[in-house]
């Protein structure tokens, strides 16, 4: 099932778009089945869950682990041991902690800035109008490297309603790209999930995060 889904998705999704398998609640066995298809990028929401799969899968496969869930500062040290990219940086405090732990670990970590594109109160992500300032501040840190933007968008009934949020995030991405410094690269635009990836790709996403479309409905 997983293999068929990946085959169909990989045939349909343009080659330049990286597929992240959003693996929350999935077992190590399911993840191994996924990796056997040749996909290499796994997204996890929780450090502990990522750790368990990381330990089971060990060196059997070359995997890039992405943190796609909100990261608490007290989990950063453990997160740095596992993740190859953190897609959910939305505050300077979190960035400073990541930088500190990466420095200790002798690691350079690519991060994406999470944008609260729906401008919703109480949601994760930095507000679009505050993102440029945040990026400027973070770019002074030495052990993390800004590599793009990520957004979820608000919860909507019809995924077409997400289009304006994806579009505005892409416009922001392009704006930041224009004011690039050496420490800031806009390489990845991570947006779109199982019910919205087509729209997200039309709006410029080059990284999509798929759970249900790959693994089936979550238990
Ligand atoms: C669960 C999750 C996804 C994937 O969701 P699906 O609808 O199952 O594709 C993508 N991004 C994040 C941040 C998630 O938590």
């Amino acid at each position: 099932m997983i293999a068929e889904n990946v085959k169909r998705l990989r045939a349909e999704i343009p080659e330049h778009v990286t597929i992240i398998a959003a693996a929350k609640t999935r077992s190590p066995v399911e993840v191994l089945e996924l990796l056997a298809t040749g996909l290499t990028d796994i997204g996890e929401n929780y450090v502990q869950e990522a750790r368990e799969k990381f330990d089971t899968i060990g060196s059997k496969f070359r995997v890039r682990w992405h943190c796609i869930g909100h990261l608490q500062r007290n989990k950063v040290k453990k997160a740095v041991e596992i993740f190859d990219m953190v897609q959910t940086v939305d505050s300077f405090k979190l960035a400073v902690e990541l930088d500190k732990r990466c420095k200790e670990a002798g690691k350079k970590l690519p991060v994406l800035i999470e944008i609260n594109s729906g401008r919703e109160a109480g949601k994760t992500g930095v507000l679009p109008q505050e993102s440029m300032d945040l990026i400027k501040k973070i770019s002074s840190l030495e052990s993390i490297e800004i590599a793009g933007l990520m957004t979820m968008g608000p919860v909507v009934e019809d995924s077409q309603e997400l289009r304006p949020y994806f579009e505005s995030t892409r416009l922001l991405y392009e704006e930041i790209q224009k004011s690039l410094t050496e420490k800031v690269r806009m390489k990845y635009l991570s947006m779109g999930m199982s019910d919205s990836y087509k729209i997200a790709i039309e709006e410029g996403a080059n990284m999509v995060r798929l759970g249900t479309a790959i693994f089936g409905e979550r238990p």
Side-chain angles (χ1 to χ4, degrees):
M1 200 38 122
I2 292 172
E4 283 166 30
N5 288 341
V6 169
K7 198 172 167 201
R8 181 177 40 78
L9 288 161
R10 198 58 282 184
E12 177 196 319
I13 293 173
E15 218 174 316
H16 74 277
V17 178
T18 303
I19 299 177
I20 310 275
K24 60 173 176 272
T25 77
R26 313 300 177 171
S27 68
V29 171
E30 286 173 290
V31 174
L32 284 169
E33 200 179 327
L34 169 88
L35 292 168
T37 70
L39 276 199
T40 51
D41 292 83
I42 298 179
E44 289 287 354
N45 293 64
Y46 304 102
V47 176
Q48 183 54 37
E49 196 183 333
R51 179 86 232 178
E52 284 160 21
K53 289 174 220 176
F54 181 87
D55 288 343
T56 315
I57 289 155
S59 54
K60 289 193 194 84
F61 289 91
R62 242 189 79 98
V63 180
R64 280 189 297 265
W65 298 89
H66 300 255
C67 175
I68 61 172
H70 182 64
L71 183 57
Q72 289 168 304
R73 263 183 296 152
N74 62 3
K75 302 271 167 65
V76 164
K77 188 171 187 288
K78 290 204 161 86
V80 162
E81 292 171 9
I82 301 167
F83 291 113
D84 300 291
M85 180 185 279
V86 172
Q87 300 205 359
T88 49
V89 174
D90 63 356
S91 74
F92 189 57
K93 277 185 171 175
L94 175 60
V96 165
E97 185 65 20
L98 274 165
D99 183 63
K100 177 179 149 196
R101 298 304 185 180
C102 285
K103 206 163 284 165
E104 286 171 5
K107 179 170 175 171
K108 283 248 194 286
L109 184 74
V111 302
L112 305 186
I113 304 301
E114 183 182 351
I115 306 294
N116 178 357
S117 55
R119 298 177 158 83
E120 297 172 285
K123 276 281 182 86
T124 56
V126 60
L127 290 169
Q129 65 271 26
E130 291 170 5
S131 58
M132 201 64 108
D133 276 349
L134 177 63
I135 286 171
K136 275 189 197 136
K137 278 168 82 179
I138 292 179
S139 67
S140 69
L141 302 172
E142 283 172 3
S143 295
I144 61 177
E145 294 170 339
I146 297 172
L149 305 181
M150 180 272 214
T151 198
M152 298 271 288
V155 176
V156 293
E157 245 166 56
D158 176 353
S159 47
Q160 283 293 345
E161 294 169 55
L162 282 166
R163 190 181 291 279
Y165 303 102
F166 291 157
E167 187 190 14
S168 65
T169 306
R170 191 241 307 148
L171 290 171
L172 185 61
Y173 179 89
E174 288 169 352
E175 193 189 322
I176 296 164
Q177 208 160 34
K178 275 185 224 141
S179 58
L180 277 188
T181 68
E182 219 170 276
K183 281 284 311 229
V184 180
R185 288 174 308 148
M186 287 290 114
K187 192 170 172 208
Y188 299 112
L189 182 54
S190 173
M191 48 187 202
M193 319 204 309
S194 292
D195 54 4
S196 59
Y197 69 90
K198 287 178 199 165
I199 299 163
I201 292 167
E202 283 168 13
E203 293 303 334
N206 59 17
M207 197 174 246
V208 293
R209 308 177 308 271
L210 308 179
T212 316
I214 290 175
F215 297 104
E217 288 297 331
R218 266 184 293 281

